[in-house]
């Protein structure tokens, strides 16, 4: 009996994520912490399983160690399958050559052997730096019913933001007739989400042609999709109307975390009908002392709170000592905040030790920007880190 899959997902998770520095100095962008208990990659992986897609290739390249360890055998997402499941796909040395992935299309091309072993009818291509909940099976059904060669997920964006995106211009029936890459004067506000479904045989054909083109930058948006459109292939836009955030920058990552707060959050990760799974560490329940104050915040298990937390997101096992104040900030796991220290409008990465009487960041109103501290660093007692600073080494009071 021949075994095959209807659809295989390929998740692009190899980008350096330089715009998220220093959070991505030693880990891949999809492994960055989000929302207290998640990693960015939890969202597309969970979407796949919830959509009935159980075969996922994760293409890694930059700083893959932590991401590889985090995904493991895929068990937390129910992707530990004997046929299919999740597979880490890194660049490798072949018989005739060895290359880093040159672009998004080249990354998929180098792993066509992985896709073809499942003989799928369709291939879903995803990015590893988006926060959203999406039923890919509905998009796949739309692709099939449209008899399309390629379907691109698209979302309406404000007109003033449209020039930041790849814009799709469509006919009334949803068929795409033109791409505009970050146009100065966009003709529409329908932005590509970087989520594609291809009829498999068409994908193979255009990736192989793209590989032969020495002038190509081997990118889907710049090369493969325009070539398919130019060649007369049927391409349609699939309208998505839920929450979606590209968290490729410090500002967008911060905003997406803040969207989780409040009695009526813009994005609800507690919805049990579409559960987002993660490999959460085991930790005891959080402890909030009688002298602590917490307002409109997410505080995960293992935290010990003796200070004040306002409008903030705290990951697992964060300690906030007496008199410390955290406002409008994101504190990642295993971080310690010393007594009487104040953190404002900041992101503090994992395993960071902040001393007593420290000042980090400034209120948003000063317009200095978000302060970011990398993982595994120490900030001495009495030190100050100004608003908008990006810090990737220890901070001593004498160095100010």
């Amino acid at each position: 009996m021949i075994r095959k899959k209807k659809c295989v997902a390929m998740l692009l998770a190899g980008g350096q994520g330089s715009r998220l520095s220093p959070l991505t100095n030693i880990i891949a962008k999809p492994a960055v912490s989000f929302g207290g208990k998640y990693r960015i990659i939890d969202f597309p992986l969970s979407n796949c399983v919830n959509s009935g897609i159980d075969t996922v290739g994760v293409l890694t390249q930059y700083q893959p160690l932590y991401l590889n360890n985090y995904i493991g055998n895929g068990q937390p997402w129910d992707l530990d399958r004997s046929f299919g499941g999740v597979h880490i796909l890194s660049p490798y040395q072949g018989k005739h050559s060895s290359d880093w992935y040159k672009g998004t299309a080249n990354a998929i091309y180098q792993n066509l052997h992985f896709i073809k072993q499942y003989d799928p009818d369709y291939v879903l291509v995803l990015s590893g730096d988006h926060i959203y909940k999406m039923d890919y099976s509905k998009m796949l059904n739309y692709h099939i019913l449209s008899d399309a060669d390629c379907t691109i997920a698209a979302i309406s964006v404000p007109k003033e933001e449209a020039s930041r995106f790849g814009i799709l211009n469509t006919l009334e029936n949803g068929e795409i007739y033109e791409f505009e890459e970050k146009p100065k004067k966009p003709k529409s506000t329908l932005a590509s989400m970087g989520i594609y479904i291809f009829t498999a045989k068409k994908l193979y054909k255009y990736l192989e042609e793209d590989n032969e083109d020495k002038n190509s930058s081997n990118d889907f948006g710049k090369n493969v999709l325009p070539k398919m459109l130019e060649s007369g292939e049927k391409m349609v836009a699939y309208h998505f109307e839920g929450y979606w955030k590209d968290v490729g920058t410090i500002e967008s990552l911060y905003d997406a975390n803040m969207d989780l707060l409040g009695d009526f959050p813009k994005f609800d990760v507690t919805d049990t009908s579409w559960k987002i799974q993660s490999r959460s560490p085991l930790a005891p329940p959080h402890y909030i002392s009688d002298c602590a104050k917490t307002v409109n915040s997410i505080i995960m298990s293992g935290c010990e709170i003796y200070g004040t937390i306002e409008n903030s997101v705290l990951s697992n096992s964060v300690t906030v000592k007496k008199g410390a104040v955290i406002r409008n900030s994101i504190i990642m796991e295993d971080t310690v905040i010393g007594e009487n220290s104040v953190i404002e409008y900041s992101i503090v990465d994992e395993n960071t030790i902040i001393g007593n009487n420290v000042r980090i960041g400034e209120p948003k109103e000063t317009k200095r920007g978000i302060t970011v501290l990398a993982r595994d660093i120490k900030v001495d007692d009495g030190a100050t880190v100004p608003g908008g600073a990006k810090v990737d080494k220890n901070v001593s009071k004498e160095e100010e």
Side-chain angles (χ1 to χ4, degrees):
M1 182 179 71
I2 298 175
R3 302 176 73 189
K4 64 175 289 175
K5 297 288 185 180
K6 181 178 181 180
C7 183
V8 168
M10 299 295 278
L11 176 51
L12 297 162
Q16 184 173 347
S18 57
R19 293 181 300 166
L20 282 178
S21 179
L23 302 179
T24 51
N25 283 0
I26 61 172
I27 67 170
K29 179 166 52 174
V32 170
S33 177
F34 178 81
K37 66 175 290 187
Y38 305 102
R39 306 279 163 180
I40 296 171
I41 200 168
D42 288 331
F43 292 85
L45 288 179
S46 297
N47 287 340
C48 283
V49 172
N50 292 337
S51 302
I53 297 171
D54 62 9
T55 305
V56 185
V58 179
L59 287 75
T60 64
Q61 180 160 280
Y62 172 80
Q63 297 284 14
L65 180 61
Y66 187 93
L67 186 62
N68 294 356
N69 290 340
Y70 182 74
I71 294 173
N73 66 355
Q75 185 273 331
W77 306 272
D78 192 27
L79 286 171
D80 52 336
R81 308 295 180 96
S82 57
F83 182 65
V86 66
H87 298 261
I88 303 296
L89 304 172
S90 300
Y92 62 92
Q93 182 170 349
K95 183 176 180 181
H96 301 292
S97 66
S98 61
D99 282 313
W100 290 108
Y101 298 146
K102 298 172 185 175
T104 54
N106 179 257
I108 304 294
Y109 172 78
Q110 288 198 40
N111 289 283
L112 285 181
H113 64 286
F114 169 81
I115 300 172
K116 289 179 178 179
Q117 69 179 326
Y118 297 104
D119 190 25
D121 297 314
Y122 308 99
V123 179
L124 169 66
V125 177
L126 304 168
S127 296
D129 55 357
H130 299 160
I131 300 295
Y132 64 115
K133 292 184 285 188
M134 181 177 182
D135 188 344
Y136 302 136
S137 67
K138 292 182 179 179
M139 182 177 172
L140 179 57
N141 288 337
Y142 181 81
H143 175 85
I144 295 168
L145 291 173
S146 301
D147 193 28
D149 300 302
C150 173
T151 298
I152 301 175
I155 191 167
S156 294
V157 297
K159 190 171 184 179
E160 61 272 16
E161 295 182 17
S163 60
R164 295 175 40 228
F165 296 90
I167 296 298
L168 308 178
N169 296 320
T170 64
L171 303 175
E172 288 187 4
N173 64 359
E175 194 166 341
I176 300 167
Y177 68 86
E178 184 182 25
F179 292 114
E180 292 183 285
E181 184 63 26
K182 298 181 179 179
K184 291 183 179 180
K185 294 183 179 180
K187 297 177 183 176
S188 80
T189 58
L190 195 61
S192 170
M193 297 167 63
I195 300 169
Y196 316 119
I197 291 179
F198 294 92
T199 299
K201 290 180 180 178
K202 292 288 186 179
L203 177 65
Y204 305 157
K205 174 181 184 295
Y206 282 94
L207 287 183
E208 287 162 0
E209 289 181 4
D210 182 69
N211 185 64
E212 294 298 319
D213 183 357
K214 303 305 179 185
N215 295 318
S216 174
S217 55
N218 307 122
D219 183 83
F220 276 109
K222 295 177 182 176
N223 306 109
V224 174
L225 297 177
K227 183 64 181 294
M228 290 183 72
L229 192 64
E230 181 186 306
S231 301
E233 305 293 356
K234 186 174 183 181
M235 306 179 74
V236 298
Y238 174 77
H239 290 247
F240 177 72
E241 295 183 350
Y243 180 96
W244 175 81
K245 181 82 78 171
D246 181 337
V247 289
T249 67
I250 291 294
E251 290 74 17
S252 60
L253 178 67
Y254 176 90
D255 289 344
N257 274 273
M258 294 300 110
D259 285 346
L260 306 179
L261 300 178
D263 293 334
F264 303 98
K266 293 181 181 178
F267 185 56
D268 183 9
V269 291
T270 65
D271 179 10
T272 56
S273 67
W274 195 267
K275 193 167 184 180
I276 303 299
Q277 302 286 2
S278 66
R279 187 183 293 278
S280 298
L282 294 174
H286 65 240
Y287 171 75
I288 299 178
S289 78
D290 293 339
C291 63
K293 177 184 177 183
T294 62
V295 179
N296 190 38
S297 295
I298 292 173
I299 300 173
M300 298 308 302
S301 59
C303 289
E304 293 185 29
I305 310 299
Y306 301 90
T308 298
I309 315 294
E310 298 178 359
N311 305 312
S312 295
V313 176
L314 274 60
S315 295
N316 296 285
S317 303
V318 171
T319 299
V320 180
K321 296 186 178 180
K322 190 174 180 179
V325 177
I326 299 173
R327 295 191 187 98
N328 305 308
S329 294
I330 301 161
I331 312 298
M332 299 181 184
E333 65 183 51
D334 294 318
T335 288
V336 177
I337 314 296
E339 293 184 1
N340 302 312
S341 290
V342 177
I343 300 177
E344 294 253 18
Y345 195 41
S346 298
I347 301 176
V348 180
D349 208 347
E350 300 172 20
N351 198 37
T352 294
I353 308 300
I354 294 174
N356 302 326
N357 302 299
V358 169
R359 296 293 181 269
I360 294 176
E362 299 170 23
K364 185 176 183 179
E365 292 72 26
T366 65
K367 298 184 179 180
R368 296 288 298 276
I370 301 167
T371 304
V372 185
L373 272 63
R375 64 175 55 211
D376 301 323
I377 66 173
K378 293 183 179 180
V379 181
D380 282 356
D381 293 352
T384 297
V385 180
K390 305 294 185 285
V391 180
D392 59 5
K393 62 181 180 180
N394 294 341
V395 180
S396 66
K397 193 173 187 306
E398 291 71 22
E399 291 176 349
E400 293 177 31

